[in-house]
Amino acid sequence: QVQLVESGGGLVQAGGSLRLSCAASGVRYIIKTMAWYRQAPGKQRELVASITSGITNYADAVEGRFTISRDNAKNTVYLQMNSLKPEDTAVYYCNVHTYFSDHWGQGTQVTVSS
């Protein structure tokens, strides 16, 4: 069974930083893409950042502040979040994509106070 374990969320002050981690285990096939999504109350889940073979993509709202990286040997993806804003408050979800399936983490809460 595939398991994605997320960590690094928490409560921070505006302007602060957090680093999210997501470690995948039990994946039987090649991981093509790893990504971070987020969902705020009353909002749709949105793509924050993704990484595919070293190619990264960012949502306009986070570009320049967030950095996604990947450690293939550890099957782990990271999201470094700097200059956090209250608007970044959401549950952040890790996603891994293979040619056969998508897998989701359980989510980690990020709360940014003003």
Side-chain angles (χ1 to χ4, degrees):
Q1 183 177 347
V2 175
Q3 185 177 18
L4 275 59
V5 180
E6 300 182 27
S7 63
L11 173 64
V12 298
Q13 191 176 22
S17 299
L18 284 174
R19 191 190 192 199
L20 305 183
S21 299
C22 174
S25 63
V27 181
R28 297 172 61 88
Y29 306 101
I30 296 173
I31 297 175
K32 181 180 180 181
T33 302
M34 304 188 81
W36 289 96
Y37 291 74
R38 68 185 182 185
Q39 187 168 24
K43 302 290 185 179
Q44 289 186 315
R45 186 173 298 185
E46 64 176 348
L47 177 66
V48 177
S50 67
I51 182 166
T52 304
S53 297
I55 300 173
T56 58
N57 290 285
Y58 298 93
D60 290 343
V62 307
E63 189 164 12
R65 299 187 296 118
F66 292 9
T67 302
I68 188 171
S69 61
R70 179 177 176 178
D71 187 336
N72 291 329
K74 298 180 179 180
N75 277 343
T76 300
V77 63
Y78 306 93
L79 185 67
Q80 179 67 46
M81 304 184 293
N82 298 324
S83 301
L84 283 162
K85 304 175 181 180
E87 301 86 81
D88 296 317
T89 296
V91 177
Y92 284 70
Y93 297 90
C94 174
N95 173 267
V96 300
H97 174 73
T98 73
Y99 285 101
F100 300 96
S101 62
D102 286 305
H103 304 279
W104 292 89
Q106 292 181 301
T108 184
Q109 177 70 48
V110 172
T111 302
V112 184
S113 64
S114 60

Coordinates of all heavy atoms in Angstrom, one line a residue, residues 23-109:
A23 N 7.1 12.2 2.4 CA 7.9 11.0 2.1 C 6.9 9.9 1.6 O 6.0 9.6 2.3 CB 8.7 10.5 3.3
A24 N 7.2 9.4 0.4 CA 6.4 8.3 -0.1 C 7.0 7.0 0.1 O 8.2 6.8 -0.1 CB 6.2 8.6 -1.6
S25 N 6.2 6.0 0.4 CA 6.7 4.6 0.5 C 5.7 3.7 -0.1 O 4.5 4.0 -0.3 CB 6.9 4.3 2.0 OG 5.7 4.3 2.7
G26 N 6.2 2.5 -0.5 CA 5.3 1.5 -1.1 C 4.9 1.8 -2.5 O 4.0 1.1 -3.0
V27 N 5.6 2.7 -3.2 CA 5.3 3.0 -4.6 C 6.0 2.0 -5.5 O 7.2 1.9 -5.5 CB 5.7 4.4 -5.0 CG1 5.4 4.7 -6.4 CG2 5.1 5.4 -4.1
R28 N 5.2 1.2 -6.2 CA 5.7 0.1 -7.1 C 6.2 0.6 -8.4 O 6.9 -0.1 -9.1 CB 4.7 -0.9 -7.2 CG 4.2 -1.6 -5.9 CD 3.1 -2.5 -6.1 NE 3.4 -3.6 -7.1 CZ 3.9 -4.8 -6.8 NH1 4.2 -5.0 -5.5 NH2 4.1 -5.7 -7.7
Y29 N 5.8 1.8 -8.9 CA 6.1 2.2 -10.2 C 6.8 3.6 -10.1 O 6.9 4.2 -9.1 CB 4.8 2.4 -11.0 CG 4.0 1.1 -11.1 CD1 2.9 1.0 -10.3 CD2 4.4 0.0 -11.9 CE1 2.1 -0.2 -10.3 CE2 3.7 -1.1 -11.9 CZ 2.5 -1.3 -11.1 OH 1.8 -2.4 -11.1
I30 N 7.4 3.9 -11.2 CA 8.2 5.2 -11.3 C 7.3 6.4 -11.0 O 6.2 6.5 -11.5 CB 8.8 5.3 -12.7 CG1 9.8 4.2 -12.9 CG2 9.5 6.7 -12.8 CD1 10.4 4.2 -14.3
I31 N 7.8 7.2 -10.1 CA 7.1 8.5 -9.8 C 7.4 9.5 -10.9 O 8.6 9.9 -11.0 CB 7.4 9.0 -8.4 CG1 7.0 8.0 -7.3 CG2 6.8 10.3 -8.2 CD1 7.4 8.3 -5.9
K32 N 6.4 9.9 -11.6 CA 6.6 10.9 -12.7 C 6.6 12.3 -12.1 O 7.5 13.1 -12.5 CB 5.5 10.7 -13.7 CG 5.7 11.6 -14.9 CD 4.6 11.4 -15.9 CE 4.7 12.4 -17.1 NZ 3.6 12.2 -18.1
T33 N 5.7 12.6 -11.3 CA 5.5 14.0 -10.8 C 5.2 14.0 -9.3 O 4.4 13.1 -8.9 CB 4.3 14.7 -11.6 OG1 4.6 14.7 -13.0 CG2 4.2 16.1 -11.1
M34 N 5.8 14.9 -8.6 CA 5.4 15.1 -7.3 C 5.0 16.6 -7.2 O 5.5 17.5 -7.8 CB 6.6 14.9 -6.3 CG 7.2 13.5 -6.5 SD 8.4 13.0 -5.2 CE 7.4 12.6 -3.8
A35 N 4.0 16.8 -6.3 CA 3.4 18.2 -6.3 C 2.8 18.5 -4.9 O 2.6 17.6 -4.1 CB 2.3 18.3 -7.4
W36 N 2.6 19.8 -4.7 CA 1.9 20.2 -3.5 C 0.7 21.0 -4.0 O 0.7 21.9 -4.9 CB 2.8 21.2 -2.7 CG 3.9 20.5 -2.0 CD1 5.2 20.3 -2.4 CD2 3.8 19.8 -0.7 NE1 5.9 19.6 -1.5 CE2 5.1 19.3 -0.5 CE3 2.8 19.6 0.2 CZ2 5.4 18.6 0.7 CZ3 3.1 18.9 1.3 CH2 4.4 18.4 1.6
Y37 N -0.4 20.7 -3.3 CA -1.7 21.4 -3.5 C -2.1 22.0 -2.1 O -1.6 21.6 -1.1 CB -2.8 20.4 -3.9 CG -2.7 19.9 -5.4 CD1 -1.7 19.0 -5.7 CD2 -3.5 20.4 -6.4 CE1 -1.6 18.5 -7.0 CE2 -3.4 19.9 -7.7 CZ -2.5 19.0 -8.0 OH -2.4 18.5 -9.2
R38 N -3.0 22.9 -2.2 CA -3.5 23.5 -0.9 C -5.0 23.8 -1.1 O -5.5 24.0 -2.2 CB -2.8 24.7 -0.5 CG -3.0 25.9 -1.4 CD -2.1 27.1 -0.9 NE -2.3 28.3 -1.7 CZ -1.5 29.4 -1.6 NH1 -0.5 29.4 -0.7 NH2 -1.8 30.5 -2.3
Q39 N -5.7 23.8 0.0 CA -7.1 24.1 0.0 C -7.5 24.9 1.3 O -7.3 24.4 2.4 CB -8.0 22.8 0.0 CG -9.4 23.0 -0.2 CD -10.2 21.8 -0.5 OE1 -9.7 20.7 -0.2 NE2 -11.4 21.9 -1.1
A40 N -8.0 26.1 1.1 CA -8.4 26.9 2.2 C -9.9 26.7 2.4 O -10.6 26.3 1.4 CB -8.1 28.4 1.9
P41 N -10.4 27.0 3.5 CA -11.9 26.8 3.8 C -12.7 27.6 2.8 O -12.5 28.7 2.5 CB -12.0 27.4 5.2 CG -10.7 27.2 5.9 CD -9.7 27.4 4.8
G42 N -13.7 26.9 2.2 CA -14.6 27.5 1.2 C -14.0 27.7 -0.1 O -14.6 28.2 -1.0
K43 N -12.7 27.2 -0.3 CA -12.1 27.3 -1.6 C -11.8 26.0 -2.2 O -11.8 24.9 -1.6 CB -10.7 28.1 -1.4 CG -10.8 29.4 -0.8 CD -11.5 30.4 -1.8 CE -11.5 31.8 -1.2 NZ -12.1 32.8 -2.1
Q44 N -11.6 26.0 -3.6 CA -11.2 24.8 -4.2 C -9.8 24.4 -4.0 O -9.0 25.3 -3.8 CB -11.5 24.9 -5.8 CG -13.0 24.9 -6.1 CD -13.2 24.9 -7.6 OE1 -12.5 25.6 -8.4 NE2 -14.1 24.1 -8.1
R45 N -9.4 23.2 -4.1 CA -8.1 22.8 -4.0 C -7.3 23.3 -5.2 O -7.8 23.2 -6.4 CB -7.9 21.3 -3.9 CG -6.5 20.8 -3.7 CD -6.5 19.3 -3.4 NE -7.3 18.9 -2.2 CZ -7.4 17.7 -1.7 NH1 -6.7 16.7 -2.3 NH2 -8.1 17.4 -0.7
E46 N -6.1 23.9 -5.0 CA -5.4 24.5 -6.1 C -3.9 23.9 -6.1 O -3.4 23.6 -5.0 CB -5.4 26.0 -6.0 CG -4.7 26.5 -4.7 CD -4.6 28.0 -4.7 OE1 -4.9 28.7 -5.7 OE2 -4.3 28.6 -3.6
L47 N -3.4 23.9 -7.2 CA -2.0 23.5 -7.4 C -1.1 24.6 -6.9 O -1.2 25.7 -7.4 CB -1.7 23.1 -8.8 CG -0.2 22.7 -9.1 CD1 0.1 21.4 -8.4 CD2 -0.1 22.5 -10.6
V48 N -0.1 24.3 -6.0 CA 0.8 25.2 -5.5 C 2.1 25.1 -6.3 O 2.7 26.1 -6.8 CB 1.1 25.0 -4.0 CG1 2.2 26.0 -3.5 CG2 -0.2 25.2 -3.2
A49 N 2.6 23.9 -6.4 CA 3.9 23.7 -7.1 C 4.0 22.3 -7.5 O 3.5 21.4 -6.9 CB 5.1 24.1 -6.3
S50 N 4.8 22.0 -8.6 CA 5.0 20.6 -9.0 C 6.4 20.5 -9.6 O 7.0 21.5 -10.0 CB 4.0 20.2 -10.1 OG 4.2 20.9 -11.3
I51 N 6.9 19.3 -9.6 CA 8.2 19.0 -10.1 C 8.2 17.7 -10.9 O 7.8 16.7 -10.4 CB 9.3 19.0 -9.0 CG1 10.7 18.8 -9.6 CG2 9.0 18.0 -7.9 CD1 11.8 19.1 -8.6
T52 N 8.7 17.8 -12.1 CA 8.7 16.6 -13.0 C 10.1 16.6 -13.7 O 10.4 17.5 -14.5 CB 7.6 16.7 -14.1 OG1 6.3 16.8 -13.4 CG2 7.6 15.5 -14.9
S53 N 10.9 15.6 -13.4 CA 12.2 15.5 -14.0 C 13.0 16.8 -13.8 O 13.7 17.2 -14.8 CB 12.1 15.1 -15.4 OG 11.5 13.8 -15.5
G54 N 12.9 17.4 -12.7 CA 13.6 18.6 -12.5 C 13.0 19.9 -12.9 O 13.4 21.0 -12.6
I55 N 11.9 19.8 -13.7 CA 11.2 20.9 -14.2 C 10.1 21.3 -13.1 O 9.3 20.5 -12.8 CB 10.5 20.6 -15.5 CG1 11.6 20.3 -16.6 CG2 9.7 21.8 -16.0 CD1 11.0 19.8 -17.9
T56 N 10.2 22.6 -12.7 CA 9.3 23.0 -11.7 C 8.3 24.0 -12.2 O 8.5 24.7 -13.2 CB 10.1 23.7 -10.6 OG1 10.8 24.8 -11.1 CG2 11.0 22.7 -9.9
N57 N 7.1 24.0 -11.6 CA 6.0 24.9 -11.9 C 5.4 25.5 -10.6 O 5.3 24.7 -9.7 CB 4.9 24.3 -12.8 CG 5.4 23.9 -14.2 OD1 5.5 24.8 -15.0 ND2 5.6 22.7 -14.4
Y58 N 5.1 26.7 -10.7 CA 4.5 27.4 -9.5 C 3.3 28.2 -9.8 O 3.1 28.7 -10.9 CB 5.5 28.3 -8.9 CG 6.8 27.7 -8.4 CD1 7.9 27.6 -9.2 CD2 6.9 27.1 -7.1 CE1 9.1 27.0 -8.8 CE2 8.0 26.5 -6.7 CZ 9.1 26.4 -7.5 OH 10.3 25.8 -7.1
A59 N 2.4 28.2 -8.9 CA 1.2 29.1 -9.0 C 1.7 30.5 -8.9 O 2.7 30.8 -8.2 CB 0.2 28.8 -7.9
D60 N 1.0 31.4 -9.6 CA 1.5 32.8 -9.6 C 1.5 33.4 -8.1 O 2.4 34.2 -7.8 CB 0.5 33.7 -10.4 CG 0.6 33.4 -11.9 OD1 1.7 32.8 -12.3 OD2 -0.3 33.8 -12.6
A61 N 0.6 32.9 -7.3 CA 0.5 33.5 -5.9 C 1.7 33.2 -5.1 O 2.0 33.9 -4.1 CB -0.8 33.0 -5.3
V62 N 2.5 32.1 -5.4 CA 3.6 31.7 -4.6 C 4.9 31.8 -5.3 O 6.0 31.7 -4.6 CB 3.4 30.3 -4.1 CG1 2.0 30.1 -3.4 CG2 3.6 29.3 -5.2
E63 N 5.0 32.0 -6.6 CA 6.3 32.1 -7.3 C 7.1 33.2 -6.7 O 6.7 34.3 -6.5 CB 6.0 32.3 -8.8 CG 7.3 32.2 -9.6 CD 7.0 32.0 -11.1 OE1 5.8 32.2 -11.5 OE2 7.9 31.7 -11.8
G64 N 8.4 32.9 -6.5 CA 9.3 33.8 -5.9 C 9.4 33.7 -4.4 O 10.4 34.1 -3.8
R65 N 8.4 33.0 -3.8 CA 8.4 32.8 -2.3 C 8.6 31.4 -1.9 O 9.2 31.1 -0.9 CB 7.1 33.4 -1.7 CG 6.9 34.9 -1.9 CD 5.7 35.4 -1.2 NE 4.5 34.8 -1.6 CZ 3.7 34.0 -0.9 NH1 4.0 33.8 0.4 NH2 2.6 33.5 -1.4
F66 N 8.0 30.5 -2.7 CA 8.1 29.0 -2.5 C 9.0 28.4 -3.4 O 9.2 28.8 -4.6 CB 6.7 28.4 -2.6 CG 5.7 28.8 -1.6 CD1 5.9 29.8 -0.7 CD2 4.5 28.1 -1.6 CE1 4.9 30.2 0.2 CE2 3.5 28.5 -0.7 CZ 3.7 29.5 0.2
T67 N 9.7 27.3 -2.9 CA 10.5 26.5 -3.8 C 10.2 25.0 -3.5 O 10.2 24.5 -2.4 CB 12.0 26.7 -3.4 OG1 12.3 28.1 -3.6 CG2 12.9 25.9 -4.3
I68 N 10.0 24.3 -4.6 CA 9.8 22.8 -4.5 C 11.1 22.1 -4.9 O 11.8 22.5 -5.8 CB 8.6 22.4 -5.4 CG1 8.2 20.9 -5.2 CG2 8.9 22.7 -6.9 CD1 6.9 20.5 -5.8
S69 N 11.4 21.1 -4.2 CA 12.5 20.3 -4.5 C 12.2 18.8 -4.3 O 11.2 18.5 -3.6 CB 13.8 20.7 -3.7 OG 13.5 20.6 -2.3
R70 N 13.1 17.9 -4.8 CA 12.8 16.5 -4.8 C 14.0 15.7 -4.5 O 15.1 16.0 -5.2 CB 12.1 16.1 -6.1 CG 11.8 14.6 -6.3 CD 11.1 14.5 -7.6 NE 10.7 13.1 -7.9 CZ 10.1 12.7 -9.0 NH1 9.7 13.6 -9.9 NH2 9.9 11.4 -9.3
D71 N 14.0 14.7 -3.7 CA 15.1 13.8 -3.4 C 14.6 12.4 -3.9 O 13.9 11.8 -3.2 CB 15.4 13.8 -1.9 CG 16.7 13.0 -1.6 OD1 17.0 12.1 -2.4 OD2 17.3 13.2 -0.6
N72 N 15.0 12.1 -5.1 CA 14.5 10.8 -5.6 C 15.0 9.6 -4.8 O 14.3 8.6 -4.8 CB 15.0 10.7 -7.1 CG 14.3 11.7 -8.0 OD1 13.2 12.1 -7.8 ND2 15.0 12.1 -9.0
A73 N 16.2 9.6 -4.3 CA 16.7 8.5 -3.5 C 15.8 8.2 -2.3 O 15.7 7.1 -1.9 CB 18.1 8.8 -3.1
K74 N 15.3 9.3 -1.7 CA 14.4 9.1 -0.5 C 12.9 9.2 -0.8 O 12.1 9.1 0.1 CB 14.8 10.2 0.5 CG 16.2 10.2 1.0 CD 16.4 11.3 2.0 CE 17.9 11.3 2.5 NZ 18.1 12.4 3.5
N75 N 12.6 9.3 -2.1 CA 11.2 9.5 -2.5 C 10.5 10.5 -1.7 O 9.4 10.3 -1.2 CB 10.5 8.1 -2.4 CG 10.7 7.2 -3.6 OD1 11.1 7.7 -4.7 ND2 10.4 5.9 -3.4
T76 N 11.2 11.6 -1.6 CA 10.7 12.7 -0.8 C 10.6 14.0 -1.5 O 11.5 14.3 -2.3 CB 11.5 12.9 0.5 OG1 11.5 11.7 1.3 CG2 11.0 14.0 1.4
V77 N 9.5 14.8 -1.4 CA 9.4 16.1 -2.0 C 9.3 17.1 -0.8 O 8.7 16.9 0.2 CB 8.2 16.1 -2.9 CG1 6.9 15.9 -2.2 CG2 8.2 17.5 -3.7
Y78 N 9.9 18.3 -1.1 CA 9.9 19.4 -0.1 C 9.2 20.6 -0.7 O 9.2 20.8 -1.9 CB 11.3 19.7 0.3 CG 12.1 18.5 0.8 CD1 12.9 17.8 -0.1 CD2 12.0 18.1 2.2 CE1 13.6 16.7 0.4 CE2 12.8 17.0 2.6 CZ 13.6 16.3 1.7 OH 14.3 15.3 2.2
L79 N 8.7 21.4 0.2 CA 8.2 22.7 -0.2 C 8.7 23.7 0.8 O 8.3 23.8 2.0 CB 6.7 22.8 -0.3 CG 6.1 24.1 -0.8 CD1 6.4 24.3 -2.2 CD2 4.6 24.1 -0.6
Q80 N 9.7 24.5 0.4 CA 10.2 25.6 1.2 C 9.4 26.8 1.0 O 9.2 27.3 -0.1 CB 11.7 25.9 0.9 CG 12.3 27.0 1.7 CD 12.5 26.7 3.1 OE1 12.9 25.6 3.5 NE2 12.0 27.6 4.0
M81 N 8.8 27.3 2.1 CA 7.8 28.5 2.0 C 8.4 29.6 2.8 O 8.6 29.5 4.0 CB 6.5 28.1 2.5 CG 5.9 26.9 1.9 SD 4.2 26.5 2.4 CE 4.5 26.0 4.1
N82 N 8.7 30.7 2.1 CA 9.3 31.9 2.7 C 8.3 33.0 2.5 O 7.4 33.0 1.7 CB 10.6 32.2 2.1 CG 11.7 31.2 2.2 OD1 11.7 30.5 3.3 ND2 12.6 31.0 1.3
S83 N 8.5 34.1 3.3 CA 7.7 35.3 3.3 C 6.2 34.9 3.3 O 5.4 35.4 2.5 CB 8.1 36.1 2.0 OG 9.4 36.5 2.0
L84 N 5.9 34.1 4.2 CA 4.5 33.6 4.3 C 3.5 34.8 4.6 O 3.8 35.7 5.3 CB 4.4 32.5 5.3 CG 4.9 31.2 4.9 CD1 5.1 30.3 6.1 CD2 3.9 30.5 3.9
K85 N 2.3 34.6 4.0 CA 1.3 35.6 4.1 C 0.0 34.9 4.7 O -0.1 33.7 4.6 CB 0.9 36.2 2.8 CG 2.1 36.9 2.0 CD 1.6 37.3 0.6 CE 2.7 38.0 -0.1 NZ 2.3 38.4 -1.5
P86 N -0.8 35.7 5.3 CA -2.1 35.1 5.8 C -2.9 34.4 4.7 O -3.6 33.4 5.0 CB -2.9 36.3 6.4 CG -1.8 37.2 6.8 CD -0.7 37.1 5.8
E87 N -2.8 34.8 3.5 CA -3.5 34.2 2.4 C -2.9 32.8 2.1 O -3.6 32.1 1.3 CB -3.3 35.1 1.1 CG -3.9 36.5 1.3 CD -2.9 37.5 1.9 OE1 -2.1 38.0 1.1 OE2 -3.0 37.7 3.1
D88 N -1.8 32.5 2.6 CA -1.2 31.1 2.4 C -1.8 30.1 3.4 O -1.6 28.9 3.2 CB 0.3 31.2 2.6 CG 1.0 32.0 1.6 OD1 0.6 31.9 0.4 OD2 1.9 32.8 1.9
T89 N -2.6 30.6 4.3 CA -3.3 29.7 5.2 C -4.2 28.7 4.5 O -5.1 29.0 3.8 CB -4.1 30.4 6.3 OG1 -3.2 31.3 7.1 CG2 -4.8 29.5 7.2
A90 N -3.9 27.4 4.7 CA -4.6 26.3 4.1 C -4.1 25.0 4.6 O -3.1 24.9 5.3 CB -4.4 26.4 2.5
V91 N -4.8 23.9 4.2 CA -4.3 22.6 4.3 C -3.5 22.3 3.1 O -4.0 22.4 2.0 CB -5.4 21.6 4.5 CG1 -4.9 20.2 4.6 CG2 -6.2 21.9 5.8
Y92 N -2.3 21.8 3.3 CA -1.4 21.5 2.2 C -1.4 20.0 2.0 O -1.1 19.3 2.9 CB 0.0 22.1 2.4 CG 0.0 23.6 2.2 CD1 -0.6 24.5 3.1 CD2 0.7 24.1 1.1 CE1 -0.6 25.8 2.8 CE2 0.7 25.5 0.9 CZ 0.1 26.3 1.7 OH 0.2 27.7 1.5
Y93 N -1.5 19.6 0.7 CA -1.6 18.2 0.4 C -0.4 17.8 -0.6 O -0.2 18.5 -1.6 CB -2.9 17.8 -0.3 CG -4.1 18.0 0.6 CD1 -4.8 19.2 0.6 CD2 -4.6 16.9 1.4 CE1 -5.9 19.3 1.4 CE2 -5.7 17.1 2.2 CZ -6.4 18.3 2.2 OH -7.5 18.4 3.0
C94 N 0.2 16.7 -0.3 CA 1.2 16.2 -1.2 C 0.6 15.2 -2.2 O -0.4 14.5 -1.8 CB 2.3 15.4 -0.3 SG 3.5 14.6 -1.3
N95 N 1.1 15.2 -3.4 CA 0.6 14.3 -4.4 C 1.7 13.7 -5.2 O 2.7 14.4 -5.5 CB -0.4 15.1 -5.4 CG -0.8 14.3 -6.6 OD1 -0.1 14.3 -7.6 ND2 -1.8 13.5 -6.4
V96 N 1.6 12.4 -5.4 CA 2.6 11.8 -6.3 C 1.8 11.1 -7.4 O 0.7 10.5 -7.2 CB 3.4 10.7 -5.6 CG1 4.2 11.4 -4.5 CG2 2.6 9.6 -5.0
H97 N 2.4 11.2 -8.6 CA 1.7 10.7 -9.8 C 2.6 9.7 -10.5 O 3.8 10.0 -10.8 CB 1.4 11.8 -10.8 CG 0.8 11.4 -12.1 ND1 -0.4 10.9 -12.2 CD2 1.4 11.4 -13.3 CE1 -0.7 10.6 -13.5 NE2 0.4 10.9 -14.2
T98 N 2.1 8.5 -10.8 CA 2.8 7.6 -11.7 C 2.0 7.4 -13.0 O 1.0 8.1 -13.1 CB 2.9 6.2 -11.0 OG1 1.6 5.6 -10.9 CG2 3.4 6.3 -9.5
Y99 N 2.4 6.6 -13.8 CA 1.7 6.3 -15.1 C 0.4 5.6 -14.8 O -0.5 5.5 -15.7 CB 2.5 5.5 -16.0 CG 3.6 6.4 -16.7 CD1 4.9 6.3 -16.3 CD2 3.3 7.2 -17.7 CE1 5.9 7.1 -16.9 CE2 4.3 8.0 -18.3 CZ 5.6 7.9 -17.9 OH 6.6 8.7 -18.5
F100 N 0.2 5.0 -13.6 CA -0.9 4.2 -13.3 C -1.9 4.8 -12.3 O -3.1 4.4 -12.2 CB -0.5 2.8 -12.9 CG 0.3 2.1 -13.9 CD1 1.7 2.1 -13.9 CD2 -0.3 1.4 -14.9 CE1 2.4 1.5 -14.8 CE2 0.4 0.7 -15.8 CZ 1.8 0.7 -15.8
S101 N -1.4 5.7 -11.4 CA -2.3 6.2 -10.4 C -1.8 7.5 -9.8 O -0.6 7.9 -10.0 CB -2.3 5.1 -9.3 OG -1.1 4.9 -8.7
D102 N -2.7 8.1 -9.0 CA -2.3 9.3 -8.2 C -2.5 8.9 -6.7 O -3.4 8.1 -6.4 CB -3.2 10.5 -8.5 CG -2.9 11.1 -9.8 OD1 -1.7 11.5 -10.0 OD2 -3.8 11.2 -10.7
H103 N -1.6 9.5 -5.9 CA -1.7 9.2 -4.5 C -1.6 10.5 -3.7 O -0.9 11.4 -4.1 CB -0.6 8.3 -4.0 CG -0.5 7.0 -4.8 ND1 -1.4 5.9 -4.5 CD2 0.2 6.6 -5.9 CE1 -1.1 4.9 -5.3 NE2 -0.2 5.3 -6.2
W104 N -2.4 10.6 -2.6 CA -2.5 11.8 -1.9 C -2.1 11.6 -0.4 O -2.4 10.6 0.2 CB -3.9 12.4 -1.9 CG -4.3 12.9 -3.3 CD1 -4.9 12.1 -4.2 CD2 -4.2 14.2 -3.8 NE1 -5.2 12.9 -5.3 CE2 -4.7 14.2 -5.1 CE3 -3.7 15.4 -3.2 CZ2 -4.8 15.3 -5.9 CZ3 -3.7 16.5 -4.0 CH2 -4.3 16.5 -5.3
G105 N -1.4 12.6 0.1 CA -1.2 12.7 1.5 C -2.4 13.1 2.3 O -3.4 13.5 1.7
Q106 N -2.4 13.0 3.6 CA -3.5 13.3 4.4 C -3.7 14.8 4.6 O -4.7 15.2 5.1 CB -3.5 12.6 5.7 CG -3.6 11.1 5.6 CD -3.6 10.4 6.9 OE1 -2.6 10.5 7.7 NE2 -4.7 9.7 7.2
G107 N -2.7 15.6 4.3 CA -2.8 17.0 4.5 C -2.1 17.5 5.8 O -2.1 16.8 6.8
T108 N -1.5 18.6 5.7 CA -0.9 19.3 6.9 C -1.4 20.7 6.9 O -1.3 21.4 5.9 CB 0.6 19.1 6.9 OG1 1.1 19.7 8.1 CG2 1.2 19.8 5.7
Q109 N -1.8 21.2 8.1 CA -2.3 22.5 8.3 C -1.2 23.5 8.3 O -0.2 23.4 9.1 CB -3.2 22.6 9.5 CG -3.7 24.0 9.8 CD -4.8 24.4 8.8 OE1 -5.7 23.7 8.5 NE2 -4.6 25.7 8.3

